[in-house]
């Protein structure tokens, strides 16, 4: 297949609607100029920002942070046509600087939570959309409310709830600085009853649990109910564990901790990011993901695996098992870079899909009928990621009318010559010929949209799928208590560890004596080499899986000694 066709297949696999979750970089609790205490930069006070003019910001910050083309043609104060949502050029420039910072730090979702105001999110979304970027950033509607009990509550809103909550806020607000005359308990109860997402912000800096407060024991007990403090915010990851110890003294339920940025200045933005596994960047997806907190939220950027399968594609064909009369299109299935689950009833294609993947990667098949079945689905495409590079496997078997004819073509046999004979075949020979003649691997270059055919197919496939066992075979091993033997084979498969030879040859007694004298040291060295690899693996899988290795005393008849005649 030529370069252009491979790229077309690649684009189709990448463009297919992706229903898997991906980790998104999320920032909670961001302040904008809508907050009365916004200070622009660390070290400045809000009154210092108030003294800055539009020209000051343009000359000192815009020119420094944007390209000449942008600041001369788009942001020039003399030529700028200001969007009516902004009160001044100065405000517009400030939001643009915030937007650029969010883009530079590659955020996917940002929750704007100004004091007693919802207006900042719309302004920031406008500026983010105006600037060039590689992917969409969703600016989430939010607000931070200063409550009558001096606790602060953050509320996250979907677009359909914006108007309703805005009306409620306007009825209850005293001022953008003073907040509202309602307790945090009342605010969170109101929000949860309405279906909004709300939590007490930066609880670790509140006076709720120290001696300098006026909170009654009864009020603290009300606050620490699960429906009020299922989620809380703190402004320092370093203080999370110590603060959780305090929480355990006051509540019996599990508390999910949101790490907040709480930035009031542009250069405070990179602080305290979170990574949340979401279906997309929408606010609804964010809230849904947070509700599955233990499985979706990470405080540090998750590392991607070195190798994983991205997707498979089967061309549209009425004969294929996965053919769908309702959808006349190629079959594309995308995978997550973490755990994938196949769920469905008998006959829905779970095992078939796994067998096809196994065949593409290993050319392994159960019998000639299954091989013929695979040929009916040909060509097969598999996209995989390995060592920061994407590769496409194209496996195209010849089109034939029977399994015997297919084997003849794969092995290059003359049908007339072999038609009267017993057509026996070596499975390994068939696999080798398929790999040699029917499998092609292409390296995808996204920078110039090209696909380069690669050599060394066997080595590359072994790196991708080193374990030549299908899922069904692994299940069979587990059912028959053969996992220990399976793990043992893997340690010696890559030649990093050497297995003891079955027979060690000697020509005289002196050699035997030397060998026996050093046998204990050899065994200890062998054990040390194995434990080094096992310990590294166990550390990487801490609290998940542990491999234990032990040795027993060697019996005399187990010593691998073999005498040969001296030459």
């Amino acid at each position: 297949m030529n370069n252009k066709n491979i790229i077309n297949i690649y684009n189709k696999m990448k463009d297919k609607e992706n229903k898997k979750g991906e980790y998104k970089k999320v920032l909670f609790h961001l302040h904008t100029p809508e907050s009365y205490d916004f200070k622009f930069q660390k070290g400045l006070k809000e009154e210092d920002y108030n003294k800055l003019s539009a020209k000051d910001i343009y000359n000192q910050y815009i020119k420094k942070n944007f390209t000449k083309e942008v600041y001369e043609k788009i942001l020039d104060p003399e030529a700028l046509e200001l969007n009516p949502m902004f009160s001044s050029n100065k405000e517009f420039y400030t939001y643009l600087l915030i937007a650029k910072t969010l883009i530079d730090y590659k955020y996917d979702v940002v929750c704007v939570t100004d004091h007693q105001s919802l207006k900042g999110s719309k302004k920031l979304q406008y500026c983010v959309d105006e600037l060039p970027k590689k992917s969409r950033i969703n600016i989430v509607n939010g607000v931070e409310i200063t409550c009558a009990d001096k606790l602060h509550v953050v509320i996250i809103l979907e677009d359909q709830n914006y108007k309703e909550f805005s009306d409620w806020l306007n009825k209850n607000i005293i001022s953008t600085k003073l907040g509202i005359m309602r307790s945090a308990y009342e605010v969170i109860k109101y929000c949860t009853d309405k279906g909004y997402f709300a939590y007490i912000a930066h609880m670790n800096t509140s006076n709720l649990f120290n001696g300098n407060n006026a909170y009654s024991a009864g009020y603290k007990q009300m606050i620490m109910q699960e429906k009020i403090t299922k989620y809380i915010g703190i402004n320092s990851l370093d203080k999370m564990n110590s603060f959780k110890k305090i929480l355990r003294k006051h509540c019996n339920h599990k508390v999910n901790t949101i790490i907040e940025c709480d930035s009031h200045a542009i250069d405070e933005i990179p602080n305290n990011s979170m990574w949340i596994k979401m279906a997309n960047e929408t606010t609804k997806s964010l809230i849904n993901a947070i509700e599955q907190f233990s499985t979706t939220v990470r405080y540090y950027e998750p590392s991607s695996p070195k190798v994983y399968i991205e997707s498979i594609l089967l061309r549209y064909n009425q004969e294929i098992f996965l053919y769908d009369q309702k959808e006349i299109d190629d079959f594309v299935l995308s995978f997550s870079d973490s755990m994938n689950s196949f769920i469905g009833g008998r006959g829905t294609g779970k095992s078939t899909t796994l067998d096809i993947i196994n065949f593409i990667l290993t050319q392994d098949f159960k019998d000639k009928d299954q091989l013929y079945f695979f040929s009916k689905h040909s060509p097969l495409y598999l996209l995989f990621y390995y060592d920061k590079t994407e590769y496409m496997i194209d496996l195209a078997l010849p089109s034939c009318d029977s399994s015997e004819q297919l084997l003849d073509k794969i092995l290059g046999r003359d049908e007339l010559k072999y038609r009267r004979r017993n057509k026996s075949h070596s499975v390994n020979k068939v696999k080798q010929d398929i790999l040699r003649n029917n499998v092609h691997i292409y390296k995808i270059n996204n920078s110039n949209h090209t696909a380069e055919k690669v050599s060394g197919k066997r080595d590359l496939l072994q790196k991708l799928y080193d374990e030549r066992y299908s899922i069904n075979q692994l299940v069979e091993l587990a059912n028959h208590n053969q996992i220990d033997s399976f793990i043992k084979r893997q340690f010696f498969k890559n030649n990093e560890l050497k297995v003891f030879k079955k027979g060690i040859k000697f020509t005289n007694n002196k050699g035997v004596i030397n060998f026996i004298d050093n046998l204990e040291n050899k065994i200890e060295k062998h054990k040390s080499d194995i434990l080094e690899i096992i310990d590294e693996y166990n550390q990487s899988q801490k609290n998940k899986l542990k491999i234990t290795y032990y040795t027993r005393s060697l019996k005399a008849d187990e010593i691998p000694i073999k005498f040969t005649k001296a030459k």
Side-chain angles (χ1 to χ4, degrees), residues 393-555:
I393 303 175
D394 169 15
L395 195 163
L397 293 174
S399 177
C400 299
D401 296 327
S402 68
S403 58
E404 292 294 344
Q405 189 184 74
L406 176 63
L407 286 169
D408 287 339
K409 286 194 175 184
I410 290 173
L411 296 169
R413 300 189 302 202
D414 187 324
E415 292 183 51
L416 294 176
K417 182 178 179 181
Y418 283 89
R419 66 183 177 182
R420 297 183 184 276
R421 300 182 186 179
N422 179 23
K423 295 185 178 181
S424 62
H425 62 272
S426 163
V427 172
N428 285 334
K429 178 68 166 61
V430 175
K431 290 170 60 176
Q432 289 170 10
D433 285 358
I434 292 174
L435 178 60
R436 182 185 304 110
N437 302 316
N438 303 102
V439 174
H440 303 286
I441 303 180
Y442 299 85
K443 179 180 178 181
I444 305 298
N445 190 330
N446 282 305
S447 62
N448 57 10
H449 303 287
T450 60
E452 174 190 353
K453 187 180 285 189
V454 301
S455 57
K457 294 181 287 187
R458 187 183 304 279
D459 290 340
L460 186 57
L461 287 177
Q462 285 181 347
K463 290 174 182 176
L464 169 66
Y465 198 64
D466 185 55
E467 178 43 60
R468 300 301 181 90
Y469 282 83
S470 70
I471 299 299
N472 293 336
Q473 286 173 313
L474 289 173
V475 172
E476 193 69 16
L477 285 170
N479 288 339
H480 290 85
N481 295 320
Q482 295 176 346
I483 288 295
D484 284 355
S485 299
F486 167 73
I487 292 174
K488 181 180 177 182
R489 288 197 298 274
Q490 303 320 301
F491 277 114
F492 300 105
K493 184 176 181 179
N494 55 12
N495 293 322
E496 288 184 19
L497 292 172
K498 301 294 183 183
V499 67
F500 274 145
K501 295 179 181 179
K502 293 181 179 178
I504 300 174
K505 298 178 181 180
F506 298 99
T507 58
N508 54 57
N509 292 339
K510 186 177 180 181
V512 176
I513 294 170
N514 287 338
F515 172 79
I516 293 176
D517 286 344
N518 290 298
L519 184 58
E520 187 174 341
N521 292 334
K522 286 179 177 291
I523 292 173
E524 283 301 313
K525 175 66 167 58
H526 189 67
K527 179 180 178 181
S528 176
D529 291 342
I530 292 176
L531 286 177
E532 184 177 348
I533 292 178
I534 289 178
D535 290 344
E536 182 180 351
Y537 177 82
N538 286 343
Q539 189 62 33
S540 69
Q541 302 297 315
K542 194 172 183 180
N543 299 323
K544 299 176 185 176
L545 181 67
K546 183 178 181 180
I547 297 174
T548 301
Y549 174 80
Y550 65 92
T551 58
R552 59 176 174 76
S553 300
L554 195 64
K555 297 178 181 178

Side-chain angles (χ1 to χ4, degrees), residues 194-211:
K194 285 288 185 179
Y196 311 151
F197 181 78
Y199 66 89
I200 296 176
H202 41 74
M203 186 184 270
N204 60 309
T205 62
S206 72
N207 290 327
L208 191 60
F209 300 121
N210 63 33

Side-chain angles (χ1 to χ4, degrees), residues 47-64:
E47 52 264 31
D48 296 323
Y49 171 62
N50 293 335
K51 293 175 184 177
L52 289 173
S53 67
K55 279 200 170 184
D56 291 334
I57 295 177
Y58 181 79
N59 291 323
Q60 295 176 38
Y61 301 99
I62 295 295
K63 286 186 176 182
K64 178 181 176 182

Side-chain angles (χ1 to χ4, degrees), residues 260-456:
E260 301 175 292
C261 173
D262 197 15
S263 63
H264 291 71
I266 297 172
D267 48 0
E268 291 176 345
I269 285 176
N271 295 337
N272 295 336
S273 305
M274 294 176 68
W275 283 263
I276 301 179
K277 196 167 193 179
M278 303 161 56
N280 50 54
E281 297 85 6
T282 63
T283 306
K284 182 177 181 61
S285 183
L286 172 67
I287 294 173
N288 288 342
I290 292 175
E291 289 173 350
Q292 307 296 324
F293 203 92
S294 61
T295 58
T296 60
V297 176
R298 300 289 180 270
Y299 298 119
Y300 299 99
E301 183 175 8
S303 57
S304 296
K306 183 179 180 180
V307 56
Y308 62 91
I309 298 171
E310 291 190 48
S311 61
I312 60 169
L313 181 145
L314 281 63
R315 301 312 301 262
Y316 172 73
N317 178 351
Q318 293 189 18
E319 293 188 52
I320 69 173
F321 180 78
L322 298 165
Y323 165 67
D324 185 352
Q325 291 182 342
K326 297 178 182 179
E327 186 175 352
I328 304 176
D329 199 359
D330 296 335
F331 175 80
V332 179
L333 183 63
S334 298
F335 298 96
S336 166
D337 59 2
S338 51
M339 188 182 78
N340 295 276
S341 299
F342 281 10
I343 302 172
R346 184 187 295 272
T348 54
K350 302 184 301 298
S351 296
T352 299
T353 304
L354 292 173
D355 286 341
I356 287 174
I357 292 172
N358 188 62
F359 176 66
I360 296 172
L361 296 172
T362 69
Q363 298 76 59
D364 196 17
F365 57 95
K366 297 175 185 174
D367 51 41
K368 63 182 181 180
D369 292 331
Q370 189 185 51
L371 182 63
Y372 182 63
F373 174 82
F374 291 148
S375 73
K376 290 296 184 183
H377 292 70
S378 178
L380 309 167
Y381 301 94
L382 184 144
L383 181 66
F384 71 91
Y385 175 93
Y386 172 69
D387 200 18
K388 302 181 181 179
T389 304
E390 288 181 304
Y391 294 89
M392 173 83 75
I393 303 175
D394 169 15
L395 195 163
L397 293 174
S399 177
C400 299
D401 296 327
S402 68
S403 58
E404 292 294 344
Q405 189 184 74
L406 176 63
L407 286 169
D408 287 339
K409 286 194 175 184
I410 290 173
L411 296 169
R413 300 189 302 202
D414 187 324
E415 292 183 51
L416 294 176
K417 182 178 179 181
Y418 283 89
R419 66 183 177 182
R420 297 183 184 276
R421 300 182 186 179
N422 179 23
K423 295 185 178 181
S424 62
H425 62 272
S426 163
V427 172
N428 285 334
K429 178 68 166 61
V430 175
K431 290 170 60 176
Q432 289 170 10
D433 285 358
I434 292 174
L435 178 60
R436 182 185 304 110
N437 302 316
N438 303 102
V439 174
H440 303 286
I441 303 180
Y442 299 85
K443 179 180 178 181
I444 305 298
N445 190 330
N446 282 305
S447 62
N448 57 10
H449 303 287
T450 60
E452 174 190 353
K453 187 180 285 189
V454 301
S455 57

